[in-house]
Amino acid sequence: MEDIKKLEEFQAKIDADVKIEPKDWMPEEYRKHLQRQISQHAHSEVIGMQPEGNWISRAPSLRAKVVLLAKIQDEAGHGQYLYSAAETLGKSRDEYIEELQTEKAKYSSIFNYPTLTWADMGAVGWLVDGAAIVNQVSLQRTSYGPYSRAMVRICKEESFHQRQGYEIMAHMAKGTPEQKAMAQDALNRFWWPSIMMFGPHDADSPNTGNAVKWRIKRETNDELRQKFIDKTVGQAEVIGLTIPDPDLKWNEAKGCYDYGKINWDEFWNVVKGNGPCNKQRLKHHIKAHKNGEWVRKAALAYAAKQKEKQLVA
Amino acid sequence: MSNIKDSQGDVWEVFVQSKPGLPHKHAGSVHATDKEMALQNARDMYTRRNEGTCLWVVPLNAIVSSMPEDSGSFFDPADDKAYRHPTHYIMPEGAKHI
């Protein structure tokens, strides 16, 4: 049983936009929601390195390669910021990683799609990072201090990611007919999964209620999705590519784009683990984690020895 | 925010000074098993874009924090001392540059 007075004070703070900090009292449900959401976010950054890592050795130029490497290094950094924020909620990094590896925790389904061509590096940066930015800009105002600070930092770094992706797409769209077709194909494959990244429609989203009340989320799935679509349509037009949605139409009355029906069966199928790459992504993560085990052990053993030496001296 | 042990080394809090003359500001944390590793990890995590001129890393368990639930009584002594603020004093009409 939680103290009703404490709960009221907590809600009053949230309503007054006072951030919640790690040592503050918080309802267990709030803590659990954040543990789940922040770790899921962290896992997504880390797993998200894999589809891009696929192209490091095949980048078409040295410039493209250093850019891709820098971007992937950023993703690793973003994962670290988020794990750090999640750890302030009283769970260790080992526990979070174990939850990922035993499939108790999810990561964004978008990373369960394969990256088949170089144009996919463009589509991922432009659309996947683009969608992530819309979500993360909103989360900068989230009620939990450490999460909010991590988001501010991430947003500063993320815009380079989207721009480099859009640059690749623009470049290919201006290239040979084969290159343009490759760019269009990447857009065709990544468009729908990208707009699914915002999650189910508000009416079907069980976690939205409390998350909005506690100001963990400041905008709903549908509001964020709409923002992303409205931004992106014009960008596709500028580079002469077509968004693969025949129902996409400007709605003068609403002042935004109407879009076609999302295939939620596909979404839930991938969430449940049946996407094209779910098994591969997790297997690779486990392998990399195991391969690093001796390094972690050696570092701990070295630190213990140094401590001993200090005590003797 | 207990100092939970795991296989990843201790938690170190990171403070970045962005320019000479400015105070070091808390940026986040890293895991590391010793000072050098903590500094290097902090550099790779928090200054990939020249964000800093100096870094501090501090073991989390070396930081002593006041507790939010005690903040009322803890900061209470400063509450009734309005005379510590310049606005407490009434200046004569027409006095300038004070």
Side-chain angles (χ1 to χ4, degrees):
Chain A
M1 274 296 281
E2 271 166 356
D3 194 343
I4 291 175
K5 198 173 150 258
K6 276 186 177 166
L7 196 61
E8 276 171 5
E9 281 169 8
F10 173 81
Q11 191 62 47
K13 261 168 98 176
I14 298 269
D15 294 342
D17 263 334
V18 176
K19 298 271 187 246
I20 306 299
E21 292 295 338
K23 285 183 153 64
D24 292 342
W25 185 88
M26 60 186 88
E28 256 330 282
E29 280 299 303
Y30 178 82
R31 182 185 299 276
K32 286 214 178 95
H33 189 111
L34 282 169
Q35 284 175 337
R36 201 188 67 235
Q37 181 171 333
I38 303 175
S39 68
Q40 202 167 301
H41 202 155
H43 300 326
S44 302
E45 299 282 357
V46 170
I47 296 287
M49 293 195 284
Q50 291 186 40
E52 297 189 306
N54 187 30
W55 283 91
I56 293 173
S57 62
R58 286 172 285 172
S61 69
L62 191 56
R63 178 182 184 265
K65 186 168 179 157
V66 293
V67 167
L68 188 59
L69 277 167
K71 180 177 189 290
I72 295 170
Q73 194 191 7
D74 271 357
E75 307 300 2
H78 296 174
Q80 305 293 321
Y81 302 157
L82 286 158
Y83 282 125
S84 285
E87 282 169 302
T88 65
L89 293 158
K91 237 190 214 186
S92 73
R93 191 166 307 203
D94 276 353
E95 286 175 272
Y96 286 121
I97 291 173
E98 198 191 311
E99 285 175 354
L100 169 68
Q101 295 188 342
T102 55
E103 298 180 59
K104 274 185 215 127
K106 304 262 179 226
Y107 55 87
S108 179
S109 281
I110 191 80
F111 302 117
N112 289 319
Y113 291 87
T115 45
L116 304 174
T117 68
W118 174 251
D120 288 9
M121 292 302 93
V124 166
W126 175 35
L127 302 173
V128 176
D129 289 285
I133 288 172
V134 169
N135 187 32
Q136 290 172 161
V137 163
S138 176
L139 282 171
Q140 289 181 106
R141 292 163 55 237
T142 191
S143 60
Y144 187 56
Y147 193 26
S148 156
R149 293 192 283 276
M151 284 298 110
V152 170
R153 190 168 285 282
I154 287 175
C155 283
K156 268 191 207 151
E157 299 181 355
E158 197 87 49
S159 72
F160 126 62
H161 297 184
Q162 195 191 14
R163 291 175 64 123
Q164 66 86 32
Y166 188 53
E167 189 193 79
I168 291 173
M169 292 300 259
H171 202 69
M172 292 189 79
K174 267 197 315 206
T176 64
E178 287 85 358
Q179 286 167 337
K180 184 169 182 183
M182 196 182 265
Q184 182 62 52
D185 171 62
L187 171 56
N188 291 350
R189 281 181 289 111
F190 276 94
W191 174 254
W192 289 101
S194 296
I195 67 169
M196 289 181 204
M197 278 173 70
F198 298 96
H201 286 307
D202 297 345
D204 311 315
S205 180
N207 294 322
T208 299
N210 273 339
V212 170
K213 186 178 90 186
W214 289 331
R215 301 200 178 166
I216 294 172
K217 286 181 84 153
R218 307 297 304 241
E219 286 161 289
T220 67
N221 295 354
D222 283 330
E223 285 165 357
L224 293 167
R225 181 170 14 247
Q226 189 70 53
K227 267 192 188 171
F228 171 69
I229 292 172
D230 292 347
K231 270 186 188 198
T232 311
V233 174
Q235 293 166 1
E237 279 166 10
V238 167
I239 58 175
L241 295 180
T242 310
I243 289 177
D245 178 359
D247 297 320
L248 194 70
K249 243 186 251 99
W250 179 251
N251 183 325
E252 193 65 52
K254 285 200 289 177
C256 63
Y257 282 92
D258 288 333
Y259 51 93
K261 240 179 150 198
I262 296 172
N263 181 355
W264 292 111
D265 290 340
E266 177 187 328
F267 175 79
W268 288 116
N269 194 39
V270 181
V271 170
K272 282 184 188 128
N274 305 318
C277 301
N278 295 56
K279 296 205 169 58
Q280 181 189 335
R281 299 291 185 239
L282 215 52
K283 202 172 143 200
H284 185 78
H285 189 277
I286 292 169
K287 184 175 148 220
H289 193 64
K290 274 206 180 120
N291 287 346
E293 196 178 358
W294 71 270
V295 180
R296 291 191 294 278
K297 278 190 177 158
L300 286 169
Y302 178 75
K305 256 192 191 167
Q306 292 301 106
K307 246 179 219 161
E308 236 170 72
K309 262 193 203 163
Q310 271 179 2
L311 287 179
V312 174
Chain B
M1 196 171 28
S2 54
N3 200 3
I4 315 153
K5 281 280 169 207
D6 60 19
S7 71
Q8 317 237 349
D10 292 329
V11 175
W12 301 65
E13 296 297 332
V14 179
F15 299 80
V16 181
Q17 184 191 38
S18 59
K19 257 190 238 169
L22 291 181
H24 287 65
K25 204 172 149 191
H26 184 242
S29 63
V30 292
H31 281 260
T33 52
D34 60 44
K35 296 179 210 174
E36 285 79 17
M37 194 194 286
L39 264 183
Q40 284 166 2
N41 287 353
R43 175 199 60 197
D44 292 347
M45 265 189 55
Y46 294 101
T47 58
R48 285 197 298 285
R49 291 175 174 79
N50 306 319
E51 289 96 334
T53 48
C54 184
L55 277 178
W56 288 349
V57 289
V58 183
L60 173 59
N61 56 19
I63 294 179
V64 183
S65 168
S66 64
M67 296 305 286
E69 62 261 34
D70 303 333
S71 70
S73 57
F74 188 73
F75 295 106
D76 185 35
D79 262 1
D80 56 353
K81 296 183 177 59
Y83 48 84
R84 285 177 174 165
H85 298 278
T87 47
H88 180 70
Y89 300 92
I90 298 156
M91 293 294 106
E93 194 92 12
K96 281 180 186 161
H97 309 299
I98 182 158

